[in-house]
Amino acid sequence: MPAPLMLLWTDHDKPYREAIARAGLEDGRMRFAFLPRSAQPDEALLAEAEALFAWGAPPGMLARMPRLRWIQALTAGVEAWLARPDLRPEVVLTCARGTHRVQMPENILGALFHITKPYHAAALDQRERRWTRRVSETLAGKTLGILGLGAIGREVARKAAALEMRVIGTRRGGAGAIEGVERALGPEGTEAVLAESDFVLLLLPTTPETENLMDARRLRAMKRSAWLLNFARGHLIVDEDLVAAVREGVIAGAVLDVFREEPLPPEHPFWTTPGITVLPHIGGLHPKRDEMVAALLAENARRFRDGEPLREAVDRAKGY
């Protein structure tokens, strides 16, 4: 019986080839087929592949892979995979959870500094050779509310606490002790977190419970001086409600890194609403991100070959 075959459908194959070689997986007990995303796998390859590594796949492709047992996604979010009608229940889906641990918290802290420090205004002043002294707001003493105290949320909390911020938040597992977090509540504590926070950070997955979470009612539950930061999923926010809330002074503003449609259409009001900062989904980008995902892929490929449980498996009932 031939060794199991994995199809790696990616344009950046070098780090993945190197990770597979370092892990000693080229010993014949598992096979790997690399294909650029511009090329379409033929029917023979689809029929033989038992594992798939890809950003996504055309509609119906998974139905043409009868031996498929495992999909490794390149991202932490897997909503698009879970929405596919051809994703069979027996296929294990794993994500790239954990590969954003360093870069995402740093970019979130960057957003907090962007809100409170006058560097952007100073850069604009420099263009005009204009000397304008400004007083920056402090982060120390402010309350950061994190909706979604998962791996990234906990790392943000630890680093924010080092800046003398008070951190509160919610997590699906309910109340409990977390380093750097003064109070962690279950999802039922969302309203309390919104009411107390100077900055509300969204780090939730998109599920039926979280879609459209930040609507007009919840935005009104925030302080008028508070800022909303979304580094999770665009579907957590009702776009028109946020635009209205910022324009009407219901909240102070927002920093958004994710959107319902990406790239964000040029006619979208987020671009032109004063108080809303648009980031082009840079939160998790890292100069060595492919190497991080490649290490996870190689570990999971070894586990798959040896019949061991795979890391970062997605719970389909939870949606992440």
Side-chain angles (χ1 to χ4, degrees), residues 5 23 28 35 47 52 87 97 103 122 129 175 180 197 199 254 266 286:
L5 174 68
L35 198 68
L52 173 66
L87 179 64
R97 187 167 42 230
Q103 195 73 336
R129 304 182 186 184
S197 299
F199 308 95
H286 190 287

Side-chain angles (χ1 to χ4, degrees), residues 3-126:
L5 174 68
M6 181 172 207
L7 169 60
L8 294 96
W9 202 8
T10 174
D11 292 330
H12 305 287
D13 61 333
K14 185 173 183 288
Y16 300 100
R17 290 181 185 274
E18 292 175 348
I20 287 168
R22 282 195 302 270
L25 295 172
E26 298 177 314
D27 60 359
R29 290 186 290 161
M30 189 165 179
R31 295 174 295 151
F32 301 91
F34 288 86
L35 198 68
R37 295 176 69 189
S38 59
Q40 294 297 316
D42 60 33
E43 292 301 320
L45 181 56
L46 293 177
E48 191 176 359
E50 297 182 42
L52 173 66
F53 174 76
W55 283 101
M61 192 182 96
L62 303 185
R64 293 151 51 207
M65 304 180 73
R67 301 186 65 186
L68 184 66
R69 295 188 284 131
W70 165 43
I71 297 172
Q72 173 69 59
L74 279 78
T75 58
V78 290
E79 293 87 355
W81 287 107
L82 293 176
R84 296 181 63 102
D86 56 352
L87 179 64
R88 300 187 299 277
E90 68 273 15
V91 176
V92 176
L93 176 64
T94 57
C95 65
R97 187 167 42 230
T99 56
H100 300 132
R101 185 193 67 81
V102 172
Q103 195 73 336
M104 185 80 82
E106 288 190 4
N107 276 316
I108 290 167
L109 291 177
L112 292 172
F113 283 118
H114 171 75
I115 293 168
T116 56
K117 310 304 175 189
Y119 292 106
H120 176 67
L124 296 178
D125 286 339
Q126 184 176 347

Side-chain angles (χ1 to χ4, degrees), residues 172-188:
R172 186 165 186 149
I178 298 175
E179 181 185 359
V181 179
E182 180 182 293
R183 191 166 84 253
L185 306 169
E188 71 282 354

Side-chain angles (χ1 to χ4, degrees), residues 201-271:
L201 171 62
L202 303 181
L203 289 176
L204 296 163
T206 300
T207 68
E209 294 75 29
T210 63
E211 187 163 4
N212 298 322
L213 176 77
M214 296 307 297
D215 57 9
R217 181 178 68 83
R218 288 201 173 89
L219 289 165
R220 285 195 300 270
M222 294 171 59
K223 297 179 180 180
R224 294 182 71 87
S225 58
W227 285 74
L228 180 68
L229 291 77
N230 189 10
F231 281 77
R233 293 290 176 264
H235 288 78
L236 301 177
I237 293 174
V238 180
D239 291 7
E240 56 269 27
D241 290 357
L242 177 59
V243 169
V246 175
R247 285 178 174 170
E248 296 167 12
V250 174
I251 65 172
V255 177
L256 309 175
D257 188 51
V258 288
F259 307 90
R260 290 175 179 268
E261 182 182 351
E262 296 185 7
L264 186 67
E267 67 276 8
H268 198 290
F270 281 165
W271 287 111

